């Protein structure tokens, strides 16, 4: 029952986040100082970026918050420490800014290409822009928790009697 409730909560947050991201980026493209920087045929690129930003934030933020309160007295699980949760949230917001920058750059294709072609190219540019970030060996910079086993309890009894 708890899994179903958590799943529905995360799915709803992801969907509402995507809608909020679209509203935010549409407002940026139409009513803000960026309206002069975004060509009319590139406006859909910001909307695509808004879907990614809102959906990703809506998916991961509830999971980070649930990681803070994970486990019970009877069945303890590894919880996120507040510093880890803050670092994860900061990384998520940094990635959101990165996606918005990529979508603003992809929107500039609208100056040279028609809207349909700009939209198709923006989907690929924004959708695959995270791949270089995934190929960076973050553990060499000390930015991962290599000693932590996610999902496993930290019991000494789990290896057998002893």
């Amino acid at each position: 029952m708890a899994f179903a409730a958590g799943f529905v909560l995360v799915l709803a947050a992801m969907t509402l986040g995507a809608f909020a991201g679209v509203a935010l980026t549409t407002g940026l493209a139409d009513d803000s100082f960026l309206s002069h920087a975004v060509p009319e045929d590139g406006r859909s690129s910001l909307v695509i970026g808004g879907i990614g930003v809102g959906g990703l934030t809506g998916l991961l933020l509830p999971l980070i918050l649930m990681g803070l309160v994970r486990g019970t007295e009877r069945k303890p699980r590894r919880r996120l420490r507040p510093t880890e949760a803050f670092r994860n949230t900061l990384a998520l917001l940094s990635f959101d800014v990165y996606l918005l920058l990529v979508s603003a750059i992809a929107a500039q294709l609208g100056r040279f290409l028609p809207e349909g072609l700009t939209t198709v190219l923006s989907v690929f540019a924004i959708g695959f822009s995270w791949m270089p970030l995934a190929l960076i060996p973050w553990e060499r910079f000390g930015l991962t928790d290599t000693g932590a086993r996610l999902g496993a309890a930290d019991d000494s009894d789990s290896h057998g009697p002893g």
Side-chain angles (χ1 to χ4, degrees):
M1 189 63 105
F3 175 78
F7 180 76
V8 168
L9 173 77
V10 170
L11 186 64
M14 183 178 64
T15 304
L16 291 173
F19 281 117
V22 168
L24 172 77
T25 54
T26 302
L28 284 174
D30 292 341
D31 304 327
S32 75
F33 64 93
L34 283 180
S35 62
H36 300 294
V38 177
E40 187 64 33
D41 287 342
R43 185 174 171 271
S44 60
S45 297
L46 280 181
V47 172
I48 293 167
I51 293 170
V53 165
L56 188 66
T57 303
L59 172 69
L60 291 178
L61 200 57
L63 293 177
I64 291 170
L65 294 176
M66 281 189 243
L68 285 170
V69 295
R70 191 174 168 188
T72 62
E73 290 284 328
R74 205 178 58 154
K75 196 174 195 180
R77 293 189 173 103
R78 185 185 180 281
R79 292 182 180 181
L80 278 178
R81 293 187 305 266
T83 56
E84 290 174 327
F86 179 72
R87 189 182 67 214
N88 290 347
T89 305
L90 203 59
L92 174 63
L93 293 176
S94 300
F95 188 71
D96 288 346
V97 169
Y98 172 77
L99 276 181
L100 285 175
L101 286 174
V102 169
S103 64
I105 291 170
Q108 301 309 311
L109 291 173
R111 297 189 189 279
F112 312 108
L113 301 173
E115 184 178 8
L117 190 55
T118 301
T119 302
V120 169
L121 291 175
S122 295
V123 167
F124 287 105
I126 296 165
F128 293 117
S129 67
W130 58 270
M131 284 190 161
L133 294 174
L135 296 175
I136 294 173
W138 296 106
E139 61 275 356
R140 288 191 181 182
F141 302 112
L143 296 174
T144 60
D145 297 327
T146 56
R149 293 181 297 159
L150 297 177
D154 215 12
D155 295 332
S156 59
D157 298 334
S158 63
H159 299 293

